[in-house]
Amino acid sequence: MGQAKETIIVCSAHSDDFVIGAGGAIANYTNEGKKVIAVVFSYGEKSHPWLKEQIVQKMRSEETLEASKLLKCETIFYDLRELHFLEDAKSRGVYEKFTALLRKEKPVKIFTHSNEDPHPDHKGVHEITLTCVTKLQRKKPEVYIYSVWNPVSFKTIYPKLYVDISKTFSLKLAALKTFHSQKIHVAYPFVLLLFRAITEGFRIRKKFGEKFFRIR
Ligand SMILES: [Zn+2]
């Protein structure tokens, strides 16, 4: 019997956030043999109001699973409605589900959204994550925040974590390309992602990097 695999959990409000914010780091960790679970809190059915919710959910979950396959992580979906995260998390038992997941998996690290993120769903996931982590009695995981499109963070005093993603940046882009249903949403930001990866990589003298802040 070998030692249990180290587990890392990445919280994601919408199906593509974890790829944008931490896709490179996820691929790094799974390449090192660690177990990574992406928790997607909403399918984001609002993006295609002309389609039935179930169709969008199916489309989104298939795309997400395709992306996860590339990054070699597992994926769990919760079904919070966009812009109703905290209300639904309460009524749909998501606090309990997520706390149970933390107790079962005992992650050493958790990556989540920033509370400075202007998107209410991203803020919501931040709050849910911290509420559930705080409830853990025994060894608590390290908690990091990542940014989606806004820079995180302007005023922070939190210690930074830079991850060298030179070897996995192409995988991150490939994973992001699986989100066909969000083409308009992700078309422009490839340039921004490239710029950011180069900027963060420069800080650690690597080709590409991802930056996180440790808040716990
Ligand atoms: Zn999002």
Side-chain angles (χ1 to χ4, degrees), residues 8-36:
I8 291 155
I9 289 181
V10 184
C11 300
S12 183
H14 310 105
S15 55
D16 55 348
D17 293 331
F18 72 100
V19 182
I20 295 167
I26 292 172
N28 272 18
Y29 289 132
T30 55
N31 281 345
E32 289 168 3
K34 292 171 181 150
K35 175 178 174 181
V36 179

Side-chain angles (χ1 to χ4, degrees), residues 169-182:
F169 184 59
S170 58
L171 260 179
K172 172 177 177 161
L173 291 186
L176 202 53
K177 279 181 188 147
T178 65
F179 294 97
H180 310 290
S181 70
Q182 307 204 78

Side-chain angles (χ1 to χ4, degrees), residues 88-123:
D88 283 2
K90 244 181 223 140
S91 63
R92 298 181 181 189
V94 166
Y95 286 102
E96 289 79 3
K97 281 185 208 165
F98 187 62
T99 305
L101 181 75
L102 296 179
R103 291 206 167 112
K104 176 168 169 260
E105 298 292 343
K106 302 181 181 62
V108 288
K109 285 186 175 71
I110 295 180
F111 293 86
T112 191
H113 290 279
S114 165
N115 56 340
E116 285 176 48
D117 196 309
H119 196 303
D121 293 347
H122 295 180
K123 260 198 214 317

